[in-house]
Amino acid sequence: MNVSHRFAALAAAGLTLTVAATSQVFVLPNAASASVVPVNQVQQAAPGGAAGTQGASALANKSLATKNRIYRTGRLTDVNCRPGSLPSGSTAAYKRFLTRVTNCLNKAWGSQFRKARMPFSKPRLRIITRKVNTPCGKWSAGADGYYCSANRTMYMLITRKQLRQPFPLGIARLMAHEYGHHVQQVSKIWSYYWTARNRAGSSQRLALSRRSELQAECFSGAFMRTLRDGRDFSDRQWDYTVNWFRNNGHKAWRHNDHGRGPTQARWMTRGYNSGSPASCNTWAASARSTT
């Protein structure tokens, strides 16, 4: 198998798990696809989440989403992240990679919150090799990880398939996306989201979900820009990743709660090209740009 074919095979394997994992973040009661079990909806209403603790308080007004101070912090800080190589077949190497990427995310976003003069706390990382129940509900079939707002924890599942065919860029992008939801939680962007969602009808809930998912995708792109020097991944790999989402990103979501594939790719690219949270304000964007 030549290099280009090998890359395509690894990329396809890695990106498949990436899409599956992001399904764990926003699953609406009326928008569960065949690959996602509705029980995971408990995550969205679990005590301790933004909606459960703050409800309709003054903190949950729309300006927290549309004019959040995190947007005024400039480019995401380059923390000289070097997660290292990810050889196939090694659980220890995989765990080390996940831990290093999380540490990079902690440093980069911690710096942004300091610039914004906003309080910040790191999410927990729990690496698992078998499916577990969480405070947000039962582990969903086919999922490789998710961010649970109830205990502010990123769960990452290492499967045999991933060990055989690891795709570092796809894994790092997935973690950056899940971490983007933690940013929404800590910055109180989700305070507005939960309040608005609880008062919305089914169609508007889907629209709100898309804004949140697309913002997390944009945040992930901003972080991935800090890794663009070629030592961790090539421009060709990034372009392949974006193009994959453009063509396939919507296929897991028949109710369109994550946005169409081209829309996902567009917000991912916005974050990557700018490197700044300012480009990720989906809450002030037009409805047309978040379809």
Side-chain angles (χ1 to χ4, degrees):
M1 183 179 292
N2 64 36
V3 174
S4 62
H5 287 170
R6 182 173 183 272
F7 164 69
L10 295 181
L15 289 171
T16 297
L17 74 89
T18 299
V19 173
T22 56
S23 71
Q24 302 313 298
V25 180
F26 282 97
V27 182
L28 305 182
N30 59 334
S33 70
S35 61
V36 182
V37 293
V39 69
N40 199 55
Q41 295 149 19
V42 175
Q43 175 180 341
Q44 307 314 322
T53 58
Q54 296 178 4
S57 71
L59 291 176
N61 88 45
K62 191 173 183 179
S63 65
L64 282 173
T66 60
K67 298 179 181 179
N68 198 281
R69 280 187 287 170
I70 202 69
Y71 303 143
R72 302 196 295 269
T73 55
R75 283 192 175 184
L76 204 67
T77 302
D78 187 342
V79 293
N80 196 30
C81 179
R82 295 292 173 267
S85 62
L86 184 53
S88 62
S90 172
T91 301
Y94 206 113
K95 289 180 178 180
R96 186 163 55 247
F97 184 85
L98 295 177
T99 300
R100 286 175 175 172
V101 172
T102 302
N103 288 340
C104 292
L105 285 159
N106 285 335
K107 291 176 182 177
W109 282 108
S111 176
Q112 296 303 112
F113 274 77
R114 285 192 295 274
K115 286 190 283 186
R117 297 184 180 181
M118 296 167 65
F120 175 74
S121 62
K122 302 173 184 178
R124 301 179 183 91
L125 171 65
R126 184 173 176 187
I127 302 170
I128 55 179
T129 56
R130 61 180 180 82
K131 298 174 182 179
V132 298
N133 293 336
T134 78
C136 295
K138 185 178 179 180
W139 192 274
S140 298
D144 295 299
Y146 59 77
Y147 174 73
C148 176
S149 60
N151 60 356
R152 300 191 178 190
T153 298
M154 295 195 305
Y155 292 83
M156 297 299 299
L157 173 65
I158 302 177
T159 67
R160 291 181 180 178
K161 180 178 179 180
Q162 294 165 22
L163 284 176
R164 290 194 303 268
Q165 296 182 316
F167 181 45
L169 185 156
I171 297 166
R173 189 221 62 84
L174 165 63
M175 297 194 76
H177 175 102
E178 303 303 339
Y179 203 103
H181 289 304
H182 180 69
V183 171
Q184 292 170 322
Q185 170 91 346
V186 178
S187 67
K188 296 185 173 65
I189 290 172
W190 265 4
S191 296
Y192 165 70
Y193 170 78
W194 292 123
T195 302
R197 179 187 178 278
N198 288 340
R199 297 174 178 175
S202 59
S203 177
Q204 185 60 19
R205 287 184 181 183
L206 292 175
L208 289 164
S209 174
R210 288 194 296 271
R211 290 183 188 273
S212 188
E213 287 294 342
L214 292 168
Q215 181 172 63
E217 202 58 73
C218 185
F219 283 162
S220 79
F223 173 76
M224 294 303 290
R225 182 185 175 90
T226 68
L227 308 179
R228 70 179 299 182
D229 62 10
R231 283 181 281 184
D232 297 291
F233 65 87
S234 67
D235 286 339
R236 181 175 171 231
Q237 288 176 316
W238 176 255
D239 291 342
Y240 179 94
T241 302
V242 173
N243 193 55
W244 189 96
F245 272 88
R246 182 178 293 111
N247 295 324
N248 302 283
H250 62 286
K251 291 182 179 179
W253 323 115
R254 63 189 179 92
H255 291 283
N256 194 22
D257 56 339
H258 282 59
R260 296 178 298 114
T263 308
Q264 293 178 35
R266 189 179 310 119
W267 283 97
M268 186 188 304
T269 300
R270 280 174 64 98
Y272 186 79
N273 287 346
S274 72
S276 170
S279 66
C280 301
N281 188 355
T282 57
W283 306 99
S286 69
R288 186 176 183 179
S289 68
T290 56
T291 56

